[in-house]
């Protein structure tokens, strides 16, 4: 793809501007109960070597049998990435030796992956959307886990993850800044979570990325790239790219050459370093796995899966803008996680979309963030928040009281309408009663009332006084109107 | 195509096969004989012939997504030379 150079994304070097070129290989653990080629569990956090069958431990004579759900999940992901679904693909052996790879090879797909080219739309900022090409997606086995810090002389191997299905999603080198790369991973995570094909849990390593970085002067051919392995947070991906790009520019500007190599990002030091020991292992000697026939399925099976796909983030965002009259930014925030979008829709259904969005984003998300919770553990249900919005739009409570009501429901729970009634929180609609307070307040401050005639800011003082005297239950607009009449403003 | 002695050593190392220096020329001769045979096979015209993936015409067997195996660490670890707390213990391999 030809991508226009955006001067804002260039990095300044001593010899001029440099363009960073980034491609990502995302490893996403497939959501499935059993492993890719065996019947043992994929569940996280089990005792060492418990979720392991003789197939996963690569005992002689054991044969792989593919899990049909893992195939379906890869197809769904391909469809979600608007990608080519290959009705025939082939499993290959990728050969290397490591203690946590008992087979001595990883079953992967090399020449004929299950999914071919596709694309993803990525919002880098509210005003900038880029298209990132997908090169391919293939199915492969995860390795086990080696633990190096339990003993000074030995490594401990746990094969619970060995054989769990991964999707490796390879992007084209279409990314031009760390911001773009971060936004891409974030969007990919959102899509996978919408599809339900990967839970996107980066802390558990269920989504991780190898980051390919190179630099070049504008208009030049692609530079030599370095691959930063296994970065497991979006923030670290950004930091690793920033460091690596500057490291490469420094070397080239000092007259050196970039050596193609595998590197590791060290978050504690904020730098990347070479993993020389992995170099020789790069001779993987792929060949078709003789234990597995080519993977074949029909177009009608693909169509069936396609028909059952959920609404995806881009479509949902567009619908929120059209249906609920939201700004693109609000729609983007609300559709990042499908649970959030579902919650919002439950609130906004047959209510004012904009007011609902404000309450969900500002009050609810704000409060959830503050307490480190997510929507699934929100103490305030969509029904309760909807009830608050109803009371506001029916003019029964003021916006200020609504915030108090939200706080009460957050802590104590309950039905909003009943709480308002029981605690006398209704907006005072008895105009006579408000007029009485207005009269009293103005009478108590004759000097300020005189000032207010010329100094409009003084009106706020009176509104505040009246609101306070009414216990926050007067409508501020009504109070303001009455005060203007009383004091004698236009 | 033929292989030199350095390539023979590299293949052995990648396969973690220990080969005596004296065996290298023998292996080189044997490997080159195999490559010679492959060269000969290449003379066959296979235009329009699909690569054979199985001697029987059949589809790949698939399993359902059901957990019905594992949970037997004792059996899995039975042959491990060294183990501790249900971990395999191996000589330190660290980056």
């Amino acid at each position: 793809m030809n991508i226009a150079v955006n001067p804002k994304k260039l990095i300044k070097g001593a010899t001029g501007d440099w363009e960073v070129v980034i491609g990502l290989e995302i490893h996403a653990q497939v959501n499935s109960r059993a492993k890719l080629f065996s019947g043992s569990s994929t569940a996280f956090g089990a005792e060492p070597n418990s979720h392991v069958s003789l197939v996963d431990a690569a005992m002689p004579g054991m044969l792989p049998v593919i899990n049909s759900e893992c195939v379906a999940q890869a197809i769904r992901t391909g469809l979600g990435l608007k990608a080519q679904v290959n009705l025939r693909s082939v499993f290959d052996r990728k050969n290397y030796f490591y203690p946590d790879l008992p087979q001595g090879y990883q079953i992967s797909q090399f020449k004929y992956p299950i999914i071919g080219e596709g694309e993803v739309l990525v919002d880098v900022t509210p005003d900038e959307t880029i298209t990132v090409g997908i090169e391919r997606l293939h199915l492969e086995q995860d390795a086990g886990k080696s633990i190096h810090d339990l003993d000074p002389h030995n490594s401990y191997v746990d094969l619970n993850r060995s054989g769990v299905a991964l999707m490796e999603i390879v992007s084209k080198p279409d990314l031009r800044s760390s911001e773009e790369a971060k936004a891409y991973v974030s969007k990919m995570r959102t899509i996978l979570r919408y599809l339900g094909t990967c839970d996107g849990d980066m802390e558990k390593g269920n989504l991780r990325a190898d980051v390919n970085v190179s630099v070049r002067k504008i208009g030049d051919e692609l530079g030599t790239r370095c691959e930063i392995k296994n970065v497991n947070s979006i923030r670290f991906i950004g930091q690793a790219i920033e460091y690596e790009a500057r490291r490469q520019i420094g070397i080239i500007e000092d007259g050196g050459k970039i050596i193609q190599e595998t590197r590791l990002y060290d978050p504690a030091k904020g730098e990347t370093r070479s993993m020389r020991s992995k170099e020789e292992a790069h001779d993987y000697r792929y060949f078709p796995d003789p234990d597995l026939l080519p993977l074949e399925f029909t177009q009608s099976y693909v169509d069936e899966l396609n028909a059952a796909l959920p609404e995806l983030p881009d479509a949902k965002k567009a619908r929120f803008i059209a249906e609920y009259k939201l700004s693109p930014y609000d729609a983007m925030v609300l559709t990042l996680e499908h649970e959030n979008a579902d919650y919002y829709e439950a609130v906004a259904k047959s209510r004012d979309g904009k007011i609902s969005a404000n309450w969900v984003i500002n009050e609810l998300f704000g409060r959830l963030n503050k307490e480190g919770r997510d929507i699934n553990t929100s103490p305030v249900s969509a029904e309760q928040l909807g009830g608050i919005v109803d009371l506001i739009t029916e003019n029964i409570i003021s916006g200020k009281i609504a915030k108090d009501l939200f706080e009460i429901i957050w802590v104590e729970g309950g039905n909003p309408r009943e709480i308002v009634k029981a605690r006398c929180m209704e907006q005072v609609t008895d105009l006579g009663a408000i007029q009485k307070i207005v009269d009293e307040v103005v009478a108590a401050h004759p000097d300020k009332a005189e000032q207010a005639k010329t100094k409009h800011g003084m009106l706020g003082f009176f509104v505040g006084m009246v609101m306070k005297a009414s216990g926050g239950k007067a409508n501020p607009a009504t109070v303001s109107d009455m005060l203007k009449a009383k004091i004698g403003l236009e | 195509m033929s292989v030199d002695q350095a390539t023979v050593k590299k293949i052995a190392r990648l396969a973690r096969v220990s080969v005596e220096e004296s065996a290298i020329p023998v292996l080189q001769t044997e490997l080159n004989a195999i490559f010679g045979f492959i060269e000969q096979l290449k003379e066959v015209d296979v235009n329009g012939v699909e690569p054979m993936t199985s001697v029987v015409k059949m589809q790949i067997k698939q399993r359902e997504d059901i957990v019905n195996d594992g949970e037997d660490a004792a059996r899995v670890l039975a042959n491990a030379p060294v183990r501790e707390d249900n971990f395999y213990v191996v000589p330190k391999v660290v980056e």
Side-chain angles (χ1 to χ4, degrees):
Chain A
M1 200 180 303
N2 242 330
I3 298 168
V5 174
N6 181 342
K8 279 192 214 142
K9 300 197 170 166
L10 300 177
I11 295 182
K12 287 219 179 313
T15 61
D17 290 340
W18 293 86
E19 185 180 38
V20 191
V21 178
I22 305 151
L24 283 135
E25 293 163 24
I26 292 177
H27 294 265
Q29 182 177 323
V30 174
N31 255 348
S32 65
R33 287 185 281 269
K35 293 183 179 180
L36 181 54
F37 294 114
S38 84
S40 39
S41 168
T42 58
F44 181 82
E47 288 294 304
N49 289 307
S50 56
H51 296 339
V52 182
S53 72
L54 299 182
V55 178
D56 310 317
M59 292 299 166
M62 296 297 115
L63 289 173
V65 181
I66 196 163
N67 180 339
S68 56
E69 176 62 11
C70 295
V71 175
Q73 293 288 50
I75 298 171
R76 290 186 189 107
T77 307
L79 292 167
L81 300 176
K82 299 184 200 76
Q84 163 80 33
V85 178
N86 296 321
L87 302 182
R88 183 178 192 278
S89 61
V90 175
F91 286 100
D92 297 283
R93 291 185 179 181
K94 177 178 180 178
N95 299 281
Y96 67 93
F97 280 96
Y98 205 72
D100 57 25
L101 185 81
Q103 286 166 162
Y105 57 85
Q106 176 193 34
I107 304 180
S108 181
Q109 298 189 300
F110 187 51
K111 216 169 159 189
Y112 304 102
I114 182 167
I115 303 295
E117 293 187 324
E119 62 180 40
V120 185
L121 291 175
V122 177
D123 296 320
V124 185
T125 67
D127 311 313
E128 190 198 5
T129 302
I130 57 169
T131 303
V132 180
I134 301 298
E135 177 72 35
R136 58 185 280 161
L137 175 155
H138 65 255
L139 277 169
E140 63 184 25
Q141 300 174 300
D142 204 347
K145 196 172 138 196
S146 301
I147 303 163
H148 305 296
D149 54 9
L150 288 180
D151 185 290
H153 309 293
N154 296 302
S155 293
Y156 285 57
V157 178
D158 172 14
L159 298 181
N160 279 344
R161 240 176 39 195
S162 165
V164 169
L166 298 179
M167 295 179 283
E168 178 170 327
I169 307 167
V170 184
S171 84
K172 292 183 183 290
D174 286 352
L175 299 156
R176 293 292 177 270
S177 70
S178 60
E179 289 306 316
E180 291 188 3
K182 281 157 65 180
Y184 166 76
V185 176
S186 166
K187 182 60 177 283
M188 188 62 79
R189 185 174 172 276
T190 299
I191 292 173
L192 295 171
R193 284 173 53 81
Y194 266 66
L195 288 164
T197 58
C198 168
D199 69 13
D201 191 333
M202 299 187 80
E203 278 177 26
K204 289 185 186 148
N206 296 353
L207 187 78
R208 47 195 198 260
D210 297 343
V211 189
N212 285 294
V213 180
S214 66
V215 298
R216 65 175 169 189
K217 285 282 176 72
I218 296 140
D220 282 0
E221 293 289 306
L222 285 177
T224 304
R225 67 190 160 86
C226 289
E227 180 182 17
I228 309 161
K229 278 272 182 206
N230 249 331
V231 193
N232 66 355
S233 97
I234 292 180
R235 194 158 56 93
F236 292 162
I237 289 172
Q239 292 171 359
I241 292 168
E242 290 295 327
Y243 176 87
E244 179 61 18
R246 283 174 176 79
R247 185 188 72 88
Q248 293 183 12
I249 292 168
I251 290 175
I252 300 170
E253 291 193 332
D254 287 345
K257 276 186 109 168
I258 303 302
I259 308 154
Q260 183 166 343
E261 64 176 356
T262 307
R263 299 180 70 83
L264 199 68
Y265 180 65
D266 181 342
K269 291 187 183 148
E271 59 185 39
T272 64
R273 63 163 189 269
S274 180
M275 292 172 73
R276 292 189 203 287
S277 56
K278 284 257 170 176
E279 289 317 296
E280 190 169 69
H282 269 294
D283 197 342
Y284 291 129
R285 295 149 294 144
Y286 283 98
F287 63 89
D289 192 320
D291 289 342
L292 288 158
L293 286 165
L295 177 60
E296 291 174 304
F297 43 81
T298 60
Q299 184 58 45
S300 67
Y301 179 57
V302 178
D303 295 342
E304 199 181 297
L305 292 173
N306 196 22
L309 283 190
E311 183 180 35
L312 290 168
D314 292 339
K316 204 181 277 286
K317 182 181 155 193
R319 185 168 62 78
F320 277 17
I321 293 169
E323 204 168 301
Y324 299 108
K325 312 280 177 265
L326 298 185
S327 69
Y329 180 76
D330 284 356
M332 189 270 286
V333 170
L334 288 169
T335 53
L336 278 179
E337 302 279 348
H338 68 92
E339 289 96 337
N340 290 352
D342 291 348
Y343 186 103
Y344 167 73
E345 281 211 271
V347 175
K349 206 111 228 163
S350 70
R351 297 196 178 92
D352 184 286
K354 192 70 196 148
I355 295 177
S356 300
N358 285 342
W359 274 83
V360 171
I361 296 172
N362 298 327
E363 299 306 321
L364 182 71
F365 289 178
R367 189 66 199 267
L368 289 171
N369 270 340
K370 210 168 117 193
E371 304 213 355
R373 289 172 179 247
D374 65 27
I375 199 87
N376 300 315
T377 59
S378 169
V380 178
S381 71
E383 200 188 344
Q384 288 169 319
L385 190 59
I388 298 176
V389 172
D390 283 341
L391 294 167
I392 300 167
T393 47
E394 290 168 24
N395 269 320
I396 293 174
I397 55 173
S398 66
K400 186 187 170 304
I401 290 288
K403 290 188 185 185
D404 296 343
L405 177 59
F406 177 83
E407 188 59 33
I408 291 168
I409 294 174
W410 180 280
V411 177
E412 302 170 28
N415 177 306
R417 204 170 286 267
E418 283 166 14
I419 292 170
V420 163
K421 197 163 240 163
R423 306 196 187 187
C424 304
M425 297 165 80
E426 295 100 333
Q427 196 148 236
V428 179
T429 47
D430 176 356
L431 294 183
I434 302 175
Q435 188 64 55
K436 193 163 162 281
I437 301 173
V438 167
D439 292 350
E440 284 167 13
V441 167
V442 173
H445 303 279
D447 48 334
K448 288 208 165 76
E450 199 52 40
Q451 288 173 26
K453 285 180 186 170
T454 49
K455 243 174 97 184
H456 282 217
M458 194 56 83
L459 190 66
F461 162 78
F462 282 104
V463 173
M465 292 293 287
V466 174
M467 289 302 293
K468 198 174 162 198
S470 77
K473 289 186 283 182
N475 181 313
T478 310
V479 171
S480 181
D481 287 346
M482 284 180 170
L483 279 166
K484 281 179 188 166
K486 177 76 187 173
I487 294 169
L489 294 167
E490 77 285 21
Chain B
M1 184 186 167
S2 63
V3 293
D4 57 18
Q5 296 202 5
T7 308
V8 174
K9 283 185 196 168
K10 189 184 170 197
I11 294 166
R13 194 169 60 248
L14 285 171
R16 297 296 189 278
V17 176
S18 160
V19 180
E20 298 284 331
E21 195 64 32
S22 60
I24 301 280
V26 184
L27 282 170
Q28 185 192 12
T29 311
E30 286 179 4
L31 281 172
N32 282 334
I34 294 167
F35 284 123
F37 178 57
I38 293 169
E39 292 296 324
Q40 201 182 338
L41 286 178
K42 277 187 179 169
E43 290 167 20
V44 181
D45 181 9
V46 289
N47 260 332
V49 181
E50 280 211 23
M52 189 182 75
T53 47
S54 168
V55 285
V56 224
K57 182 120 182 89
M58 60 181 288
Q59 287 272 314
I60 187 170
K61 285 254 188 287
Q62 306 205 11
R63 67 163 73 236
E64 281 185 64
D65 187 25
I66 296 167
V67 176
N68 56 11
D69 206 347
E71 311 313 314
D72 195 355
R75 198 155 160 244
V76 163
L77 290 156
N79 297 317
V82 190
R83 77 189 98 122
E84 198 180 313
D85 297 337
N86 282 353
F87 283 107
Y88 290 95
V89 179
V90 300
K92 193 115 178 160
V93 272
V94 79
E95 282 309 323

